[in-house]
Amino acid sequence: KYYNVPVGMLQAVLIAITALNAQSVEDVERFLKCTLLAVQADNSSIKILTETALDWLGDNGFLARARTRIIGQHHNVASIKYFVPMKKPRGEGRDDRDHVLNEENLSEGSSAGGLISEDHQHFNVGNPTKVKTSRLAWAAFKAAIPPYQAVDILRDLRKIVRSVVLVDRGCLHLCYLCAQANDVIHVNYTVLHQVLGGIISHTEATAAAVAVNTPPQISEGGGVGNECSSSSHGTSSSINSNGEAIYLVAQQLELTDKFITSQMRGKTYSSLAQKLHERASRLYVALILSETVQEADMKQISKKFHVSYGDIQNLMQSAASHGHRVSRFCEELSDEFWHLGTLLRSFIPRIYGGVRREVADLTLIPYLGGQRARRAYDAGLKSIRDVASCPLSKLRGILRIGSMIATRIKVAAQALVIQEAQSMADEIDELNMIVDNDDARAAV
């Protein structure tokens, strides 16, 4: 179903029904009349936009469904509603022959008096209907994700959760969740064909003869997967070793060798080609991120993917920020995607610092980037406590920095240690309080 509704309108309505607790369609319309939209549009346009935005949010799962039944002289129809009818007192425009019953009130025999339109999934501003938000709406609001983007992320999560690869050294599935289509970094289909073309062709040719069944290896430190202990930082060797993961991601995105070859010859502008192009752009960005988290040489990454060094750094920061939002989104949808939220939360420091898993904790220290964190780790400073207790002169020599930056790093590490100790003390106090309460109840 096509909806002609701006993205900003959906975001405004989502804020109204979540943060501002708008409980009816009239409340949403009243909120929109207090915005700059009231200056740009008349009341009838605001009414139409409100109804269309609520219809879109309802059809895409942002509003909770309530089963209603129309009871009347000529009606005996059950339908799915995206709102809860508000009760009306007797005698206030109520028609006892034709009224709406909420599913919760059907068993009790009570009735709710709000009339609904003939289109049972359409919001009408004139109807006394109560808007009821779903968990998806709150997840999108708390994660600061626009509704359109939340629908796409939810679709990606449902695909990835079925076949996430944890033994992948570059964690390409997680990189793809953190990646966004970039206006600066454009997909180079020649490079993408070099990376994917041989893997897809080889895997499709040998899939019938060779069965690869590798069980997932979940590590204790966050579960992101067992890293390969090889010290090779070359991009070609890492891509070859992660060929199975790359093939699985490309297969989920429906990026075939035929499509990539056609894009190399010339762009096609069909609707399907546009969707595949957006997926290929995100996969291209995810491949760059996958190389950075393996601590590959930035010059080699820049040369291989035809991207400047500064664009790669901006990409790492934007991907880490988007990864935080996706992680919060997964945690709010806890029943289905809590494990992906945990994986992403432990994976985000790797993206931000461009380091492997064992060095990720050191990147939490301010002024200690990926390269400095690797130097500290190789010199024996393997934790934040080691950095906090390291003498200042030794720290300066290891990181090859001045006294001012070394002092800031040491002070920041000490602050993190104190913060961790305080959080542990608070948890112990909370546990002691629970034990004392249980003892008091037992004594009574």
Side-chain angles (χ1 to χ4, degrees), residues 13 17 25 28 49-58 63 123 131:
V13 174
I17 63 179
V25 185
V28 177
L49 288 173
T50 303
E51 295 175 358
T52 308
L54 287 172
D55 283 341
W56 187 94
L57 292 173
L63 301 180
F123 286 91
V131 177

Side-chain angles (χ1 to χ4, degrees), residues 411-430:
V411 171
Q414 292 174 349
L416 289 175
V417 172
I418 295 173
Q419 182 179 359
E420 182 182 1
Q422 289 178 350
S423 62
M424 292 179 63
D426 294 338
E427 291 179 1
I428 293 174
D429 293 340
E430 185 177 356

Side-chain angles (χ1 to χ4, degrees), residues 225-242:
N226 189 14
E227 301 284 346
C228 182
S229 60
S230 175
S231 60
S232 174
H233 291 184
T235 57
S236 60
S237 62
S238 61
I239 287 177
N240 292 333
S241 62
N242 297 331

Side-chain angles (χ1 to χ4, degrees), residues 70 75 79 81 115-122 124 127:
I70 301 176
H75 301 280
S79 62
K81 300 293 295 179
L115 297 177
I116 62 175
S117 60
E118 294 181 359
D119 182 6
H120 302 312
Q121 292 184 353
H122 181 68
N124 195 318
N127 293 333

Side-chain angles (χ1 to χ4, degrees), residues 116-408:
I116 62 175
S117 60
E118 294 181 359
D119 182 6
H120 302 312
Q121 292 184 353
H122 181 68
F123 286 91
N124 195 318
V125 176
N127 293 333
T129 56
K130 181 179 179 180
V131 177
K132 186 177 180 181
T133 57
S134 66
R135 183 178 295 178
L136 177 61
W138 282 104
F141 169 72
K142 291 181 180 180
I145 296 177
Y148 269 119
Q149 193 174 4
V151 173
D152 295 335
I153 292 174
L154 185 61
R155 182 170 57 250
D156 293 338
L157 290 173
R158 285 173 176 168
K159 286 183 179 180
I160 291 176
V161 75
R162 292 195 293 265
S163 59
V164 62
V165 179
L166 297 182
V167 295
D168 174 22
R169 196 169 50 175
C171 299
L172 187 59
H173 278 92
L174 300 181
C175 289
Y176 184 81
L177 287 178
C178 297
Q180 289 180 291
N182 200 303
D183 296 334
V184 178
I185 300 177
H186 302 284
V187 55
N188 190 319
Y189 281 100
T190 303
V191 177
L192 193 61
H193 182 265
Q194 294 175 357
V195 176
L196 297 179
I199 296 172
I200 293 176
S201 301
H202 176 72
T203 308
E204 289 177 348
T206 59
V210 179
V212 180
N213 186 12
T214 305
Q217 300 178 5
I218 303 178
S219 63
E220 296 179 357
V224 176
N226 189 14
E227 301 284 346
C228 182
S229 60
S230 175
S231 60
S232 174
H233 291 184
T235 57
S236 60
S237 62
S238 61
I239 287 177
N240 292 333
S241 62
N242 297 331
E244 182 186 354
I246 296 175
Y247 170 74
L248 287 176
V249 175
Q251 190 179 36
Q252 288 179 359
L253 300 178
E254 300 177 357
L255 296 176
T256 61
D257 186 56
K258 181 180 178 181
F259 168 75
I260 297 174
T261 305
S262 65
Q263 292 295 306
M264 291 173 59
R265 296 173 181 172
K267 294 182 179 179
T268 55
Y269 295 97
S270 63
S271 58
L272 178 60
Q274 289 294 328
K275 293 180 180 179
L276 293 177
H277 174 70
E278 293 177 1
R279 297 175 187 176
S281 300
R282 286 188 61 188
L283 180 59
Y284 194 75
V285 172
L287 287 171
I288 298 175
L289 294 174
S290 178
E291 294 293 319
T292 60
V293 298
Q294 297 177 72
E295 299 186 23
D297 187 18
M298 287 294 181
K299 293 182 180 179
Q300 294 184 9
I301 299 176
S302 177
K303 183 179 179 180
K304 182 178 183 64
F305 292 96
H306 302 280
V307 181
S308 65
Y309 182 77
D311 291 338
I312 294 176
Q313 287 184 324
N314 294 333
L315 174 63
M316 293 164 60
Q317 294 179 0
S318 62
S321 177
H322 182 64
H324 274 292
R325 293 193 293 269
V326 176
S327 175
R328 180 66 185 274
F329 184 76
C330 293
E331 291 173 355
E332 292 298 328
L333 300 174
S334 56
D335 293 342
E336 192 174 359
F337 306 112
W338 63 269
H339 55 294
L340 281 179
T342 304
L343 290 173
L344 280 172
R345 186 165 294 278
S346 61
F347 184 69
I348 288 170
R350 293 185 57 190
I351 290 184
Y352 185 78
V355 295
R356 297 187 179 182
R357 180 175 55 87
E358 65 270 13
V359 193
D361 292 340
L362 294 179
T363 59
L364 299 176
I365 304 175
Y367 307 102
L368 196 65
Q371 295 181 355
R372 292 175 180 174
R374 170 53 67 182
R375 290 176 190 169
Y377 186 86
D378 293 340
L381 304 179
K382 300 183 182 298
S383 65
I384 299 177
R385 291 181 178 272
D386 295 338
V387 177
S389 60
C390 180
L392 189 61
S393 59
K394 182 180 178 180
L395 188 63
R396 288 176 52 192
I398 292 174
L399 301 180
R400 305 170 191 172
I401 55 178
S403 59
M404 181 179 296
I405 301 297
T407 303
R408 292 178 180 178

